[in-house]
Amino acid sequence: MSAISPQSQPLLTDHFAVTPVLPATSTVYRQLAVRQKLCILLSICLGVAAFFTHHTYRHVIATISNDAAPSIIAAAQIRSDIAHAHTLIVNLFLSKEGTESPLGQAYISAIDQADDHLLFAAQNITFGNEERRSVLAAMTQMSEYERLVGMAFVSKEPVRFVLKADTLMREKLLPSVSLIDEINVKHLTASYTDEVRQATYYFYTSLLFAALMLVLFLETQVKLYRECKRIFNLPMLLGTISLLSGIALMSWHVSSLTRHLQIAKVDAFDSVHSLSHAKANAYVANAQESLYLLVTDKTVQSQQAAFFMSYAHQLFDGNIGIASALIASPSSVKTHGLLGDELANIAFAGEHEAAAETLTTWAEYMAIDAHVRQLESAGEHQKAIALGTGKHEHESDWAFERFTTALAKALSVNQQAFEAAIGRCASILQWTTYLLLLLFLAPLIGSYVGIRQRLLEYR
């Protein structure tokens, strides 16, 4: 049997030839390994950007709903309660009733409510020493106001102490409470404007990383097809589909969050804030009307009349003699006071009717106030007091109560819309938590597993 020559061996080997296994240092192996690392890096970058988008929106919602809004509403309520209590105490001296009368008990109730709201503001300090100092000043001045009222009850010259209490309320107490409001409004506005812009920046960064990842996924699929003759790489295909689905859902959720935050802040809460200010200013004006009747000095009366008009003009600074004409053209009343701004900013069902009723009843109150002053100027003091403190139909307190009832309806519409929008934001934010996991894990796992399968073939 003849030996097989070395020259004949390659022919036998070629007959049974198999595809040679490439070393791990081959060019294809290195290229796929680099792509795998890039996919992992982009997945991490995408996850981080999406996380900061989610975190920033969460902070905006928390600032609006938990930190700023309650303190702003409480500050407005404090102003309303103080001014209401002030009106009651002036009416108490006008009617010469005692502290045990219904007016006296109503005053105590209003002061207690103001103290409760002030205590809530003290417990909800979130913006540092600036807010803390304002709350402390308001609490100190509130105590001084109550001391002056107490002095009025035991003094032989009660009007002097009532006027001192009025000066303290207008010049110190109400400005201190307003400062609490302003601090919280400043932070709320900054949080809404700056952080929504920042969240949008993070989101667009997420889209950039997602686009880069999508290009890399597609290019890697093409590379695998050319080098490994695989039409589809299932893990990477699933990762690509998950990435596209996650980005589409994230885009929809971010758009919804932005829209509902605008509804909550711009459409609803700004109206709540304006109407709360209108309520407080109306109560202060009402107190000045009663003080006008309590004092006898004409100079002091003129001052009280000027104070009344300054607060009344903050509600509406135009001629509202024909309220129906103004209601028919809401755009014409914008920038003419808090009630005009509200009528020109209708966004919710039932809001227009409530705002229109608020302006109509305020016009009626103002007309009765003008009649009260005419009676006082004509020397009919008792008739002026009866009309200015009367609760019967077409008397001042009757008209004022109708106004506050209408204002409460408008406030309720916007408050409910605010709470509903914040609730929807919280619900959307909860869903984005799951999207974060999808955007981070699906492409990460898809790229790692899909490319790893091919890399193992080169070992």
Side-chain angles (χ1 to χ4, degrees), residues 18-301:
V18 295
T19 303
V21 177
L22 298 178
T25 56
S26 70
T27 302
V28 175
Y29 181 91
R30 289 197 304 273
Q31 290 174 346
L32 290 179
V34 169
R35 283 169 173 77
Q36 185 186 51
K37 289 181 175 63
L38 283 174
C39 287
I40 292 172
L41 178 62
L42 287 174
S43 294
I44 294 172
C45 291
L46 173 59
V48 170
F51 167 79
F52 277 108
T53 303
H54 175 274
H55 176 74
T56 306
Y57 272 116
R58 180 181 291 280
H59 189 263
V60 174
I61 294 168
T63 299
I64 293 175
S65 61
N66 299 329
D67 298 337
S71 292
I72 293 169
I73 293 171
Q77 190 60 52
I78 293 166
R79 294 182 77 230
S80 298
D81 289 339
I82 293 170
H84 184 208
H86 194 54
T87 304
L88 292 169
I89 206 65
V90 175
N91 287 345
L92 190 66
F93 283 106
L94 274 174
S95 63
K96 297 181 172 56
E97 297 179 14
T99 55
E100 299 301 320
S101 67
L103 273 176
Q105 294 303 305
Y107 163 76
I108 293 171
S109 177
I111 282 293
D112 287 344
Q113 286 183 13
D115 287 333
D116 288 344
H117 285 112
L118 194 53
L119 180 61
F120 174 82
Q123 293 171 335
N124 198 46
I125 292 172
T126 52
F127 300 120
N129 289 331
E130 186 182 14
E131 185 181 7
R132 187 175 292 106
R133 284 193 294 269
S134 300
V135 172
L136 180 59
M139 294 179 78
T140 303
Q141 290 153 5
M142 187 74 166
S143 176
E144 176 64 12
Y145 173 83
E146 293 180 46
R147 187 189 72 82
L148 289 171
V149 170
M151 291 293 292
F153 280 112
V154 298
S155 173
K156 294 181 180 179
E157 299 180 34
V159 175
R160 182 165 66 91
F161 285 99
V162 172
L163 286 174
K164 284 185 176 181
D166 178 68
T167 301
L168 175 67
M169 180 194 70
R170 287 184 294 98
E171 296 182 359
K172 292 185 177 180
L173 179 53
L174 293 183
S176 293
V177 177
S178 295
L179 189 56
I180 300 171
D181 173 281
E182 290 168 10
I183 292 167
N184 282 273
V185 167
K186 179 181 71 176
H187 284 280
L188 184 150
T189 302
S191 177
Y192 173 76
T193 304
D194 297 341
E195 294 195 32
V196 167
R197 186 188 301 117
Q198 190 176 28
T200 304
Y201 166 78
Y202 287 134
F203 175 64
Y204 283 131
T205 304
S206 301
L207 291 182
L208 175 61
F209 284 127
L212 291 173
M213 181 173 289
L214 183 61
V215 170
L216 184 58
F217 268 42
L218 294 175
E219 194 275 338
T220 303
Q221 288 275 35
V222 172
K223 181 72 175 176
L224 290 172
Y225 172 74
R226 288 177 178 173
E227 301 295 338
C228 305
K229 306 304 178 187
R230 305 297 175 91
I231 298 176
F232 292 115
N233 183 292
L234 185 59
M236 292 199 71
L237 178 63
L238 292 176
T240 303
I241 294 172
S242 298
L243 175 63
L244 289 171
S245 301
I247 285 297
L249 288 171
M250 191 75 174
S251 300
W252 183 79
H253 281 147
V254 166
S255 176
S256 297
L257 270 174
T258 303
R259 184 174 69 257
H260 288 304
L261 273 173
Q262 182 176 6
I263 292 171
K265 167 62 176 68
V266 179
D267 295 335
F269 189 76
D270 283 359
S271 289
V272 169
H273 185 228
S274 294
L275 289 169
S276 297
H277 264 273
K279 179 181 178 182
N281 288 333
Y283 272 116
V284 177
N286 195 36
Q288 301 311 309
E289 180 190 63
S290 295
L291 267 172
Y292 171 82
L293 297 173
L294 181 64
V295 297
T296 55
D297 186 278
K298 296 301 181 182
T299 302
V300 179
Q301 276 192 333

Side-chain angles (χ1 to χ4, degrees), residues 321-341:
I322 308 176
S324 58
L326 297 172
I327 293 167
S329 180
S331 60
S332 66
V333 296
K334 188 174 178 61
T335 73
H336 282 283
L338 296 167
L339 298 183
D341 289 345

